[in-house]
PDB file of all heavy atoms in Angstrom:
ATOM      1  N   THR E  67     104.676  91.123 100.697  1.00  0.00           N
ATOM      2  CA  THR E  67     103.798  92.323 100.514  1.00  0.00           C
ATOM      3  C   THR E  67     102.900  92.562 101.678  1.00  0.00           C
ATOM      4  O   THR E  67     102.838  93.681 102.138  1.00  0.00           O
ATOM      5  CB  THR E  67     102.747  91.912  99.324  1.00  0.00           C
ATOM      6  OG1 THR E  67     103.608  91.840  98.105  1.00  0.00           O
ATOM      7  CG2 THR E  67     101.818  93.004  99.094  1.00  0.00           C
ATOM      8  N   ALA E  68     102.317  91.546 102.299  1.00  0.00           N
ATOM      9  CA  ALA E  68     101.500  91.724 103.467  1.00  0.00           C
ATOM     10  C   ALA E  68     102.328  92.247 104.684  1.00  0.00           C
ATOM     11  O   ALA E  68     101.897  93.222 105.340  1.00  0.00           O
ATOM     12  CB  ALA E  68     100.903  90.309 103.919  1.00  0.00           C
ATOM     13  N   TYR E  69     103.514  91.821 104.892  1.00  0.00           N
ATOM     14  CA  TYR E  69     104.472  92.248 105.951  1.00  0.00           C
ATOM     15  C   TYR E  69     104.737  93.723 105.699  1.00  0.00           C
ATOM     16  O   TYR E  69     104.716  94.561 106.637  1.00  0.00           O
ATOM     17  CB  TYR E  69     105.642  91.439 106.149  1.00  0.00           C
ATOM     18  CG  TYR E  69     106.527  91.889 107.292  1.00  0.00           C
ATOM     19  CD1 TYR E  69     106.095  91.500 108.626  1.00  0.00           C
ATOM     20  CD2 TYR E  69     107.519  92.602 107.185  1.00  0.00           C
ATOM     21  CE1 TYR E  69     106.815  91.865 109.680  1.00  0.00           C
ATOM     22  CE2 TYR E  69     108.363  93.037 108.294  1.00  0.00           C
ATOM     23  CZ  TYR E  69     107.936  92.617 109.480  1.00  0.00           C
ATOM     24  OH  TYR E  69     108.611  92.968 110.596  1.00  0.00           O
ATOM     25  N   SER E  70     105.024  94.128 104.510  1.00  0.00           N
ATOM     26  CA  SER E  70     105.468  95.528 104.163  1.00  0.00           C
ATOM     27  C   SER E  70     104.231  96.418 104.406  1.00  0.00           C
ATOM     28  O   SER E  70     104.349  97.457 104.987  1.00  0.00           O
ATOM     29  CB  SER E  70     105.830  95.660 102.652  1.00  0.00           C
ATOM     30  OG  SER E  70     106.009  96.985 102.362  1.00  0.00           O
ATOM     31  N   LEU E  71     103.015  96.015 103.883  1.00  0.00           N
ATOM     32  CA  LEU E  71     101.722  96.851 104.177  1.00  0.00           C
ATOM     33  C   LEU E  71     101.409  96.970 105.632  1.00  0.00           C
ATOM     34  O   LEU E  71     101.178  98.053 106.172  1.00  0.00           O
ATOM     35  CB  LEU E  71     100.691  96.284 103.341  1.00  0.00           C
ATOM     36  CG  LEU E  71     100.706  96.339 101.820  1.00  0.00           C
ATOM     37  CD1 LEU E  71      99.560  95.620 101.200  1.00  0.00           C
ATOM     38  CD2 LEU E  71     100.869  97.727 101.324  1.00  0.00           C
ATOM     39  N   ALA E  72     101.613  95.928 106.372  1.00  0.00           N
ATOM     40  CA  ALA E  72     101.376  95.838 107.737  1.00  0.00           C
ATOM     41  C   ALA E  72     102.275  96.813 108.454  1.00  0.00           C
ATOM     42  O   ALA E  72     101.939  97.583 109.378  1.00  0.00           O
ATOM     43  CB  ALA E  72     101.479  94.424 108.385  1.00  0.00           C
ATOM     44  N   THR E  73     103.570  96.797 108.239  1.00  0.00           N
ATOM     45  CA  THR E  73     104.543  97.609 108.792  1.00  0.00           C
ATOM     46  C   THR E  73     104.279  99.003 108.547  1.00  0.00           C
ATOM     47  O   THR E  73     104.335  99.980 109.463  1.00  0.00           O
ATOM     48  CB  THR E  73     105.992  97.274 108.332  1.00  0.00           C
ATOM     49  OG1 THR E  73     106.184  95.877 108.639  1.00  0.00           O
ATOM     50  CG2 THR E  73     107.035  98.115 108.992  1.00  0.00           C
ATOM     51  N   GLN E  74     103.923  99.397 107.251  1.00  0.00           N
ATOM     52  CA  GLN E  74     103.592 100.762 107.045  1.00  0.00           C
ATOM     53  C   GLN E  74     102.316 101.337 107.681  1.00  0.00           C
ATOM     54  O   GLN E  74     102.280 102.402 108.231  1.00  0.00           O
ATOM     55  CB  GLN E  74     103.311 100.955 105.461  1.00  0.00           C
ATOM     56  CG  GLN E  74     104.555 100.763 104.638  1.00  0.00           C
ATOM     57  CD  GLN E  74     104.202 100.789 103.112  1.00  0.00           C
ATOM     58  OE1 GLN E  74     103.925 101.927 102.535  1.00  0.00           O
ATOM     59  NE2 GLN E  74     104.319  99.631 102.482  1.00  0.00           N
ATOM     60  N   LEU E  75     101.352 100.437 107.870  1.00  0.00           N
ATOM     61  CA  LEU E  75     100.097 100.773 108.590  1.00  0.00           C
ATOM     62  C   LEU E  75     100.473 101.067 110.043  1.00  0.00           C
ATOM     63  O   LEU E  75     100.042 102.080 110.675  1.00  0.00           O
ATOM     64  CB  LEU E  75      99.037  99.703 108.553  1.00  0.00           C
ATOM     65  CG  LEU E  75      97.791  99.932 109.310  1.00  0.00           C
ATOM     66  CD1 LEU E  75      97.063 101.270 109.043  1.00  0.00           C
ATOM     67  CD2 LEU E  75      96.867  98.703 109.172  1.00  0.00           C
ATOM     68  N   VAL E  76     101.186 100.190 110.733  1.00  0.00           N
ATOM     69  CA  VAL E  76     101.549 100.380 112.104  1.00  0.00           C
ATOM     70  C   VAL E  76     102.405 101.639 112.319  1.00  0.00           C
ATOM     71  O   VAL E  76     102.182 102.387 113.263  1.00  0.00           O
ATOM     72  CB  VAL E  76     102.396  99.122 112.523  1.00  0.00           C
ATOM     73  CG1 VAL E  76     103.067  99.345 113.963  1.00  0.00           C
ATOM     74  CG2 VAL E  76     101.490  97.852 112.661  1.00  0.00           C
ATOM     75  N   ASP E  77     103.333 101.893 111.403  1.00  0.00           N
ATOM     76  CA  ASP E  77     104.175 103.069 111.521  1.00  0.00           C
ATOM     77  C   ASP E  77     103.383 104.374 111.264  1.00  0.00           C
ATOM     78  O   ASP E  77     103.584 105.374 112.011  1.00  0.00           O
ATOM     79  CB  ASP E  77     105.211 103.044 110.461  1.00  0.00           C
ATOM     80  CG  ASP E  77     106.333 101.955 110.736  1.00  0.00           C
ATOM     81  OD1 ASP E  77     106.400 101.578 111.849  1.00  0.00           O
ATOM     82  OD2 ASP E  77     107.217 101.734 109.888  1.00  0.00           O
ATOM     83  N   ALA E  78     102.297 104.279 110.462  1.00  0.00           N
ATOM     84  CA  ALA E  78     101.468 105.524 110.280  1.00  0.00           C
ATOM     85  C   ALA E  78     100.695 105.846 111.627  1.00  0.00           C
ATOM     86  O   ALA E  78     100.623 106.963 111.985  1.00  0.00           O
ATOM     87  CB  ALA E  78     100.497 105.257 109.071  1.00  0.00           C
ATOM     88  N   VAL E  79     100.076 104.894 112.160  1.00  0.00           N
ATOM     89  CA  VAL E  79      99.347 105.110 113.342  1.00  0.00           C
ATOM     90  C   VAL E  79     100.229 105.499 114.556  1.00  0.00           C
ATOM     91  O   VAL E  79      99.910 106.301 115.381  1.00  0.00           O
ATOM     92  CB  VAL E  79      98.414 103.871 113.689  1.00  0.00           C
ATOM     93  CG1 VAL E  79      97.491 104.279 114.917  1.00  0.00           C
ATOM     94  CG2 VAL E  79      97.658 103.444 112.487  1.00  0.00           C
ATOM     95  N   ALA E  80     101.453 104.925 114.521  1.00  0.00           N
ATOM     96  CA  ALA E  80     102.380 105.257 115.601  1.00  0.00           C
ATOM     97  C   ALA E  80     102.714 106.745 115.484  1.00  0.00           C
ATOM     98  O   ALA E  80     102.910 107.437 116.493  1.00  0.00           O
ATOM     99  CB  ALA E  80     103.692 104.408 115.454  1.00  0.00           C
ATOM    100  N   CYS E  81     102.906 107.224 114.316  1.00  0.00           N
ATOM    101  CA  CYS E  81     103.168 108.682 114.106  1.00  0.00           C
ATOM    102  C   CYS E  81     102.097 109.598 114.634  1.00  0.00           C
ATOM    103  O   CYS E  81     102.327 110.534 115.314  1.00  0.00           O
ATOM    104  CB  CYS E  81     103.521 108.939 112.577  1.00  0.00           C
ATOM    105  SG  CYS E  81     103.597 110.721 112.162  1.00  0.00           S
ATOM    106  N   ALA E  82     100.813 109.198 114.297  1.00  0.00           N
ATOM    107  CA  ALA E  82      99.675 109.830 114.714  1.00  0.00           C
ATOM    108  C   ALA E  82      99.611 109.863 116.265  1.00  0.00           C
ATOM    109  O   ALA E  82      99.404 110.953 116.934  1.00  0.00           O
ATOM    110  CB  ALA E  82      98.391 109.246 114.218  1.00  0.00           C
ATOM    111  N   HIS E  83      99.823 108.773 116.928  1.00  0.00           N
ATOM    112  CA  HIS E  83      99.781 108.652 118.393  1.00  0.00           C
ATOM    113  C   HIS E  83     100.784 109.378 119.056  1.00  0.00           C
ATOM    114  O   HIS E  83     100.573 110.087 120.144  1.00  0.00           O
ATOM    115  CB  HIS E  83      99.816 107.155 118.769  1.00  0.00           C
ATOM    116  CG  HIS E  83      98.525 106.392 118.498  1.00  0.00           C
ATOM    117  ND1 HIS E  83      98.305 105.112 118.947  1.00  0.00           N
ATOM    118  CD2 HIS E  83      97.371 106.852 117.882  1.00  0.00           C
ATOM    119  CE1 HIS E  83      97.080 104.731 118.571  1.00  0.00           C
ATOM    120  NE2 HIS E  83      96.481 105.800 117.886  1.00  0.00           N
ATOM    121  N   ALA E  84     102.006 109.480 118.445  1.00  0.00           N
ATOM    122  CA  ALA E  84     103.064 110.360 118.974  1.00  0.00           C
ATOM    123  C   ALA E  84     102.657 111.806 118.982  1.00  0.00           C
ATOM    124  O   ALA E  84     103.102 112.541 119.837  1.00  0.00           O
ATOM    125  CB  ALA E  84     104.337 110.082 118.173  1.00  0.00           C
ATOM    126  N   ALA E  85     101.847 112.203 118.091  1.00  0.00           N
ATOM    127  CA  ALA E  85     101.283 113.605 117.992  1.00  0.00           C
ATOM    128  C   ALA E  85     100.081 113.748 118.804  1.00  0.00           C
ATOM    129  O   ALA E  85      99.396 114.873 118.766  1.00  0.00           O
ATOM    130  CB  ALA E  85     101.180 114.009 116.539  1.00  0.00           C
ATOM    131  N   GLY E  86      99.596 112.754 119.478  1.00  0.00           N
ATOM    132  CA  GLY E  86      98.372 112.806 120.278  1.00  0.00           C
ATOM    133  C   GLY E  86      97.089 112.703 119.485  1.00  0.00           C
ATOM    134  O   GLY E  86      96.024 113.171 119.976  1.00  0.00           O
ATOM    135  N   VAL E  87      97.200 112.152 118.266  1.00  0.00           N
ATOM    136  CA  VAL E  87      95.995 112.060 117.439  1.00  0.00           C
ATOM    137  C   VAL E  87      95.466 110.661 117.405  1.00  0.00           C
ATOM    138  O   VAL E  87      96.202 109.741 117.099  1.00  0.00           O
ATOM    139  CB  VAL E  87      96.291 112.599 115.960  1.00  0.00           C
ATOM    140  CG1 VAL E  87      95.063 112.373 115.043  1.00  0.00           C
ATOM    141  CG2 VAL E  87      96.702 114.013 116.020  1.00  0.00           C
ATOM    142  N   ILE E  88      94.239 110.381 117.631  1.00  0.00           N
ATOM    143  CA  ILE E  88      93.501 109.111 117.526  1.00  0.00           C
ATOM    144  C   ILE E  88      92.817 109.117 116.227  1.00  0.00           C
ATOM    145  O   ILE E  88      92.081 110.075 115.817  1.00  0.00           O
ATOM    146  CB  ILE E  88      92.595 108.851 118.690  1.00  0.00           C
ATOM    147  CG1 ILE E  88      93.302 109.106 120.039  1.00  0.00           C
ATOM    148  CG2 ILE E  88      92.002 107.484 118.560  1.00  0.00           C
ATOM    149  CD1 ILE E  88      92.357 109.151 121.171  1.00  0.00           C
ATOM    150  N   HIS E  89      92.857 108.031 115.417  1.00  0.00           N
ATOM    151  CA  HIS E  89      92.189 107.931 114.174  1.00  0.00           C
ATOM    152  C   HIS E  89      90.773 107.709 114.253  1.00  0.00           C
ATOM    153  O   HIS E  89      89.966 108.352 113.722  1.00  0.00           O
ATOM    154  CB  HIS E  89      92.874 106.863 113.313  1.00  0.00           C
ATOM    155  CG  HIS E  89      92.385 106.794 111.871  1.00  0.00           C
ATOM    156  ND1 HIS E  89      91.092 106.284 111.538  1.00  0.00           N
ATOM    157  CD2 HIS E  89      92.899 107.270 110.758  1.00  0.00           C
ATOM    158  CE1 HIS E  89      90.917 106.433 110.236  1.00  0.00           C
ATOM    159  NE2 HIS E  89      92.048 106.967 109.728  1.00  0.00           N
ATOM    160  N   CYS E  90      90.407 106.641 115.093  1.00  0.00           N
ATOM    161  CA  CYS E  90      89.042 106.242 115.412  1.00  0.00           C
ATOM    162  C   CYS E  90      88.289 105.442 114.274  1.00  0.00           C
ATOM    163  O   CYS E  90      87.122 105.060 114.538  1.00  0.00           O
ATOM    164  CB  CYS E  90      88.144 107.568 115.702  1.00  0.00           C
ATOM    165  SG  CYS E  90      88.492 108.150 117.363  1.00  0.00           S
ATOM    166  N   ASP E  91      88.839 105.299 113.127  1.00  0.00           N
ATOM    167  CA  ASP E  91      88.213 104.544 112.040  1.00  0.00           C
ATOM    168  C   ASP E  91      89.111 103.915 111.190  1.00  0.00           C
ATOM    169  O   ASP E  91      89.060 103.976 109.933  1.00  0.00           O
ATOM    170  CB  ASP E  91      87.284 105.554 111.254  1.00  0.00           C
ATOM    171  CG  ASP E  91      86.151 104.783 110.539  1.00  0.00           C
ATOM    172  OD1 ASP E  91      85.867 103.596 110.873  1.00  0.00           O
ATOM    173  OD2 ASP E  91      85.571 105.273 109.520  1.00  0.00           O
ATOM    174  N   ILE E  92      89.986 103.025 111.708  1.00  0.00           N
ATOM    175  CA  ILE E  92      90.925 102.245 110.973  1.00  0.00           C
ATOM    176  C   ILE E  92      90.260 101.036 110.432  1.00  0.00           C
ATOM    177  O   ILE E  92      89.767 100.195 111.184  1.00  0.00           O
ATOM    178  CB  ILE E  92      92.221 101.823 111.879  1.00  0.00           C
ATOM    179  CG1 ILE E  92      92.933 103.021 112.360  1.00  0.00           C
ATOM    180  CG2 ILE E  92      93.102 100.937 111.097  1.00  0.00           C
ATOM    181  CD1 ILE E  92      93.927 102.793 113.411  1.00  0.00           C
ATOM    182  N   LYS E  93      90.189 100.956 109.055  1.00  0.00           N
ATOM    183  CA  LYS E  93      89.555  99.858 108.469  1.00  0.00           C
ATOM    184  C   LYS E  93      90.215  99.753 107.070  1.00  0.00           C
ATOM    185  O   LYS E  93      90.776 100.759 106.601  1.00  0.00           O
ATOM    186  CB  LYS E  93      88.143  99.991 108.333  1.00  0.00           C
ATOM    187  CG  LYS E  93      87.609 101.269 107.577  1.00  0.00           C
ATOM    188  CD  LYS E  93      86.179 101.440 107.570  1.00  0.00           C
ATOM    189  CE  LYS E  93      85.713 102.731 106.887  1.00  0.00           C
ATOM    190  NZ  LYS E  93      84.198 102.861 106.932  1.00  0.00           N
ATOM    191  N   PRO E  94      90.098  98.629 106.354  1.00  0.00           N
ATOM    192  CA  PRO E  94      90.771  98.448 105.138  1.00  0.00           C
ATOM    193  C   PRO E  94      90.341  99.437 104.044  1.00  0.00           C
ATOM    194  O   PRO E  94      91.087  99.908 103.176  1.00  0.00           O
ATOM    195  CB  PRO E  94      90.334  97.088 104.587  1.00  0.00           C
ATOM    196  CG  PRO E  94      90.118  96.255 105.905  1.00  0.00           C
ATOM    197  CD  PRO E  94      89.552  97.375 106.851  1.00  0.00           C
ATOM    198  N   GLU E  95      89.108 100.007 104.068  1.00  0.00           N
ATOM    199  CA  GLU E  95      88.613 100.952 103.117  1.00  0.00           C
ATOM    200  C   GLU E  95      89.323 102.407 103.197  1.00  0.00           C
ATOM    201  O   GLU E  95      89.352 103.086 102.344  1.00  0.00           O
ATOM    202  CB  GLU E  95      87.043 101.188 103.237  1.00  0.00           C
ATOM    203  CG  GLU E  95      86.320  99.952 102.780  1.00  0.00           C
ATOM    204  CD  GLU E  95      85.995  98.927 103.949  1.00  0.00           C
ATOM    205  OE1 GLU E  95      86.741  99.061 105.017  1.00  0.00           O
ATOM    206  OE2 GLU E  95      85.168  98.058 103.669  1.00  0.00           O
ATOM    207  N   ASN E  96      89.828 102.602 104.460  1.00  0.00           N
ATOM    208  CA  ASN E  96      90.509 103.796 104.730  1.00  0.00           C
ATOM    209  C   ASN E  96      92.036 103.790 104.594  1.00  0.00           C
ATOM    210  O   ASN E  96      92.773 104.707 104.959  1.00  0.00           O
ATOM    211  CB  ASN E  96      90.223 104.371 106.204  1.00  0.00           C
ATOM    212  CG  ASN E  96      88.830 105.010 106.218  1.00  0.00           C
ATOM    213  OD1 ASN E  96      88.295 105.421 105.290  1.00  0.00           O
ATOM    214  ND2 ASN E  96      88.316 104.990 107.376  1.00  0.00           N
ATOM    215  N   VAL E  97      92.502 102.571 104.117  1.00  0.00           N
ATOM    216  CA  VAL E  97      93.888 102.352 103.853  1.00  0.00           C
ATOM    217  C   VAL E  97      94.066 102.327 102.338  1.00  0.00           C
ATOM    218  O   VAL E  97      93.670 101.410 101.704  1.00  0.00           O
ATOM    219  CB  VAL E  97      94.404 101.025 104.503  1.00  0.00           C
ATOM    220  CG1 VAL E  97      95.899 100.889 104.290  1.00  0.00           C
ATOM    221  CG2 VAL E  97      94.181 101.052 106.044  1.00  0.00           C
ATOM    222  N   LEU E  98      94.847 103.304 101.869  1.00  0.00           N
ATOM    223  CA  LEU E  98      94.965 103.431 100.345  1.00  0.00           C
ATOM    224  C   LEU E  98      96.394 102.973  99.910  1.00  0.00           C
ATOM    225  O   LEU E  98      97.358 103.180 100.620  1.00  0.00           O
ATOM    226  CB  LEU E  98      94.794 104.911  99.994  1.00  0.00           C
ATOM    227  CG  LEU E  98      93.288 105.505  99.996  1.00  0.00           C
ATOM    228  CD1 LEU E  98      92.491 104.737  99.103  1.00  0.00           C
ATOM    229  CD2 LEU E  98      92.784 105.614 101.352  1.00  0.00           C
TER     230      LEU E  98
END
């Protein structure tokens, strides 16, 4: 479970960075 969630989080931010978008507030409360 932890590995799956971790992979999804990494992939989400990778997609944003590929588009030139920085999140600036990655924390567990912002991960749904």
Side-chain angles (χ1 to χ4, degrees):
T67 297
Y69 185 79
S70 172
L71 293 174
T73 301
Q74 292 178 70
L75 175 60
V76 169
D77 288 347
V79 186
C81 169
H83 286 185
V87 177
I88 307 171
H89 188 282
C90 287
D91 200 19
I92 297 169
K93 59 183 180 179
E95 293 87 347
N96 283 340
V97 179
L98 287 303

